């Protein structure tokens, strides 16, 4: 017994070593600050979600009121995604110029104007102008929210916080569905205008709330404002030591010598964005090329698997499944919104615990099964001359399971993954390319879905999406390494080996065991870079 006591004391003394580095008392306070900033920034995503959700129901009334064809309807439904390409393309450069925070304000102001124009639209052309303006605002919002949140978040909660934009997209989607149902009883010429115009309200609160947020520490460093960046990092890191290490990493990426500790310093000219596109597209290193393929590819597959076809045209899908009442179709659509929102909330808590890859692969596997059963049930309904109750129930259940599977993995991870893998210098422009691909595919799918299912049947359309989902699963399995808790240096080693990243990761783990053996220092290092 006497021999054990010193051993216990010794163990106890050793366990105290990392405690000063990760001081538990201030940690909740700092995490709450990063949490609040992430919420405010991610609220920009409500704008896109609301627009997508509200248009799914408003389209029924717009088509009836303005007497437009199916082709005109699918264009007005999906065109905002193509318009948002312009906003996404401009947002990367704008955020490097005026800062991440004011870019969020800019996005809210533009969307406010677009929502007002749509609410007062008197004809198809006027409505298209409103869609154009709102689309620019959506493009800005989609790019800047995940970039700002990733740059502000400590690595310990980066996945959790960076998934917030997708949470708010789904929140906006649900609000749009509820708005459809709430205003569906108004006169035809007023109902859809109230639905669209109501989108101006959240943008006002958003623009005001963002003013309480700090600027991104990475943007501050790129401007030479080290003192301001250090104060922000002190508030958003899990410990003072982590804040110092994050600052050192950002300074290195910005080309600022480590010994420069003044509040304001001169930043090398190359750090302001010159040559970024050349590094990304013309002469990428193997690491940058792999990152670019992964970052753009995950957004391509996120949208080409048909998610926007389901959330935008769910009333049409339920109509094909045999639900004829407009109120019943809108209620069923609200169920889709609830399913998406609940499962995205589950995903936020799993991202930093389970990891990106397990969630992503499980999610896409669930989507494949759901799309197969949806295609089968809709094909049976389409070819039957009487109502097949079990097939109707299967179609509704498959729709709900598809959006749930999407939301628990592929939905949030596309934004988390693409915002964390690009090096600091290439992050804004690299993320803008991923966002542009996201909007391009979303616009293509949403603007052609009606024509697609009229050409190959609605069941055939979902079998096509299932085929794309199968290809995406193979792409993710072979090319995307796990990024949970990885430092910038580790990512630069993992990316660039393409299909051989698993053997590289094993070497990294082996070296970590030899050098760090999982002690406190190793933990601090893992939580510092890569924001």
């Amino acid at each position: 017994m006497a021999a054990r006591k010193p051993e216990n004391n010794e163990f106890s003394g050793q366990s105290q070593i990392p405690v000063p580095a990760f001081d538990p008392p201030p940690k909740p306070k700092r995490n709450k600050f990063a949490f609040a900033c992430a919420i405010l920034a991610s609220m920009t995503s409500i704008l896109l979600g609301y627009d997508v959700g509200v248009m799914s129901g408003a389209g029924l009334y717009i088509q009836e009121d303005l007497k437009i064809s199916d082709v005109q309807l699918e264009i007005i439904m999906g065109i905002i995604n193509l318009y948002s390409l312009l906003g996404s393309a401009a947002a990367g450069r704008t955020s490097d110029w005026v800062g991440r925070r004011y870019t969020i304000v800019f996005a809210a102001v533009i969307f406010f104007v677009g929502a007002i124009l749509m609410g007062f639209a008197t004809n198809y052309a006027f409505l298209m102008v409103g869609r154009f303006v709102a689309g620019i605002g959506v493009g800005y919002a989609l790019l800047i929210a995940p970039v700002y949140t990733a740059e502000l978040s400590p690595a310990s909660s980066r996945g959790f916080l960076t998934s917030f934009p997708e949470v708010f997209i789904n929140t906006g989607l649900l609000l749009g569905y509820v708005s459809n149902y709430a205003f569906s009883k108004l006169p035809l010429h007023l109902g859809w205008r109230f639905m669209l115009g109501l989108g101006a309200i959240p943008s006002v609160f958003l623009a005001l709330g963002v003013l309480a947020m700090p600027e991104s520490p990475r943007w501050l460093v790129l401007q030479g404002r080290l003192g301001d960046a250090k104060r922000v990092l002190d508030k958003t890191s899990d410990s003072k030591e982590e804040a110092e290490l994050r600052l050192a990493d950002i300074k290195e990426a910005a080309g600022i010598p480590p010994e420069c500790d003044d509040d304001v310093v001169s930043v090398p000219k190359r750090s302001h964005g010159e040559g970024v596109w050349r590094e990304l597209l013309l002469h990428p290193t193997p690491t940058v090329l792999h990152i670019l393929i992964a970052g753009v590819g995950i957004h391509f597959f996120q949208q080409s698997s048909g998610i926007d076809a389901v959330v935008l045209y769910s009333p049409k899908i339920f109509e094909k499944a045999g639900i004829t009442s407009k109120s019943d179709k809108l209620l069923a659509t609200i169920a889709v919104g609830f399913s998406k929102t609940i499962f995205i909330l589950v995903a936020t808590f799993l991202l930093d615990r389970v990891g990106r890859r397990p969630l992503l692969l499980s999610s896409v596997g669930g989507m494949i099964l759901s799309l197969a059963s949806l295609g089968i049930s809709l094909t049976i309904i389409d070819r039957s001359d009487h109502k097949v109750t079990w097939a109707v129930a299967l179609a509704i259940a498959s729709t709900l399971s598809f959006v749930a599977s999407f939301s628990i993995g592929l939905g949030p991870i596309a934004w988390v993954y693409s915002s964390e893998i690009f090096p600091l210098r290439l992050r804004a422009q690299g993320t803008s390319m991923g966002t542009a691909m996201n909007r391009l595919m979303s616009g293509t799918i949403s603007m052609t879905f009606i024509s697609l299912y009229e050409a190959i049947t609605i069941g055939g359309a979902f079998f096509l999406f299932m085929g794309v989902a199968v290809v995406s699963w193979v792409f993710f399995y072979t090319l995307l390494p796990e990024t949970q808790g990885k430092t910038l240096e580790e990512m630069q080693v993992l990316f660039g080996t393409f299909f051989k990243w698993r053997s590289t990761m094993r070497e990294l783990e082996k070296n970590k065991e030899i050098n760090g053996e999982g002690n406190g220092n190793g933990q601090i290092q893992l939580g510092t870079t890569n924001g």
Side-chain angles (χ1 to χ4, degrees):
M1 296 294 289
R4 288 183 186 174
K5 192 169 183 179
E7 189 177 331
N8 287 341
N9 290 338
E10 184 184 356
F11 177 80
S12 178
Q14 285 179 349
S15 68
Q16 297 301 316
I17 292 172
V19 172
F22 290 97
D23 192 7
K27 184 176 178 180
K29 182 179 179 182
R30 287 166 182 158
N31 284 342
K32 284 179 182 177
F33 184 76
F35 182 86
C37 293
I39 284 181
L40 283 171
S42 303
M43 282 177 65
T44 56
S45 303
I46 281 183
L47 306 180
L48 170 65
Y50 183 83
D51 184 86
V52 172
V54 81
M55 280 303 292
S56 70
L60 300 173
Y61 303 98
I62 291 171
Q63 185 171 25
E64 185 179 346
D65 188 29
L66 299 183
K67 305 294 188 292
I68 58 177
S69 65
D70 279 348
V71 173
Q72 286 177 306
L73 175 64
E74 60 185 359
I75 289 174
I76 202 71
M77 296 274 268
I79 195 70
I80 195 170
N81 296 302
L82 299 187
Y83 290 152
S84 68
L85 281 172
L86 300 176
S88 296
R93 189 63 178 166
T94 303
S95 68
D96 283 344
W97 178 40
V98 302
R100 314 316 195 205
R101 190 171 65 139
Y102 286 111
T103 303
I104 294 174
V105 176
F106 192 45
V109 170
I110 296 174
F111 189 85
F112 174 84
V113 174
I116 294 295
L117 289 174
M118 289 190 291
F120 284 98
T122 54
N123 53 45
Y124 187 79
F126 194 160
L127 184 57
M128 189 68 82
V129 172
R131 301 292 284 164
F132 173 76
V133 176
I136 300 296
V138 163
Y140 267 88
L142 271 177
L143 172 89
I144 199 59
V147 168
Y148 176 88
T149 308
E151 293 184 346
L152 198 77
S153 306
S156 63
S157 55
R158 188 181 60 237
F160 174 65
L161 297 179
T162 313
S163 65
F164 278 15
E166 185 70 15
V167 172
F168 281 101
I169 286 177
N170 284 277
T171 303
L173 189 79
L174 181 57
L175 290 174
Y177 289 157
V178 172
S179 174
N180 285 335
Y181 189 75
F183 293 114
S184 62
K185 306 301 182 185
L186 290 178
L188 180 63
H189 68 287
L190 288 178
W192 66 266
R193 289 181 170 88
F194 270 96
M195 295 174 192
L196 297 178
L198 200 65
I201 295 177
S203 61
V204 173
F205 290 104
L206 174 64
L208 295 175
V210 166
L211 298 177
M213 293 161 41
E215 185 50 83
S216 157
R218 282 156 179 79
W219 184 81
L220 291 170
V221 170
L222 289 176
Q223 307 308 305
R225 295 164 56 182
L226 296 187
D228 292 337
K230 186 176 180 181
R231 283 186 283 275
V232 175
L233 287 169
D234 284 341
K235 290 182 178 180
T236 58
S237 299
D238 289 340
S239 70
K240 187 176 181 181
E241 285 75 11
E242 184 185 357
E244 291 173 356
L245 287 166
R246 288 176 71 187
L247 180 62
D249 178 65
I250 300 170
K251 284 166 64 177
E252 182 183 354
I256 299 172
E259 62 272 12
C260 286
D261 288 323
D262 296 336
D263 280 358
V264 180
V265 300
S266 166
V267 180
K269 200 171 182 182
R270 65 180 180 84
S271 296
H272 287 284
E274 291 82 355
V276 167
W277 292 112
R278 184 169 62 250
E279 290 181 41
L280 273 173
L281 299 176
L282 298 181
H283 304 291
T285 63
T287 297
V288 171
L289 181 60
H290 189 179
I291 288 173
L292 190 63
I293 291 171
V296 174
I298 196 169
H299 279 289
F300 170 84
F301 285 115
Q302 189 208 48
Q303 290 299 327
S304 60
S305 57
I307 186 62
D308 272 10
V310 173
V311 297
L312 258 181
Y313 294 103
S314 48
K316 291 275 187 184
I317 295 169
F318 292 133
E319 182 180 318
K320 288 286 184 180
I323 300 174
T324 54
S325 163
K326 280 186 179 178
S327 293
D328 289 346
K329 282 187 279 189
L330 292 179
L331 279 174
T333 301
I334 289 176
V336 170
F338 269 115
S339 181
K340 279 188 103 269
T341 304
I342 289 169
F343 280 90
I344 187 65
L345 291 173
V346 173
T348 61
F349 291 100
L350 295 178
L351 273 168
D352 287 316
R353 298 180 183 182
V354 177
R356 283 44 159 172
R357 276 178 59 84
L359 275 181
L360 185 60
L361 296 175
S362 302
S363 164
V364 178
M367 290 166 60
I368 292 169
L369 294 176
S370 301
L371 287 167
S373 61
L374 183 58
I376 290 168
S377 58
L378 289 174
T379 299
I380 290 171
I381 293 167
D382 210 25
R383 296 186 177 183
S384 180
D385 54 3
H386 62 280
K387 188 172 182 178
V388 185
T389 306
W390 68 265
V392 172
L394 180 61
I396 295 171
S398 299
T399 302
L400 296 177
S401 68
F402 173 71
V403 297
S405 298
F406 176 87
S407 291
I408 206 166
L410 183 55
I413 289 173
W415 301 105
V416 173
Y417 202 87
S418 63
S419 66
E420 69 184 356
I421 61 177
F422 284 99
L424 169 64
R425 176 166 159 71
L426 309 177
R427 180 168 292 139
Q429 286 81 359
T431 308
S432 73
M433 289 183 66
T435 305
M437 176 58 75
N438 188 288
R439 293 299 88 201
L440 176 64
M441 293 311 302
S442 175
T444 302
I445 297 296
S446 54
M447 290 174 64
T448 59
F449 179 67
I450 295 177
S451 300
L452 177 68
Y453 78 61
E454 286 177 350
I456 64 172
T457 75
I458 193 163
F462 286 107
F463 285 131
L464 178 62
F465 293 143
M466 183 194 72
V468 174
V470 170
V471 175
S472 74
W473 195 95
V474 175
F475 175 85
F476 299 146
Y477 182 79
T478 55
L479 273 174
L480 270 62
E482 179 60 72
T483 59
Q484 180 191 16
K486 296 293 183 290
T487 67
L488 179 61
E489 289 78 12
E490 288 174 327
M491 281 206 200
Q492 288 176 334
V493 174
L494 283 175
F495 285 97
T497 55
F498 295 93
F499 300 102
K500 299 177 181 178
W501 64 265
R502 286 175 182 80
S503 58
T504 308
M505 179 174 279
R506 283 193 292 270
E507 288 296 320
L508 277 174
E509 295 299 326
K510 190 185 298 181
N511 291 338
K512 195 186 299 180
E513 287 176 12
I514 294 170
N515 299 326
E517 296 182 349
N519 59 19
N521 292 335
Q523 290 176 16
I524 294 171
Q525 185 185 9
L526 285 175
T528 59
T529 58
N530 194 46

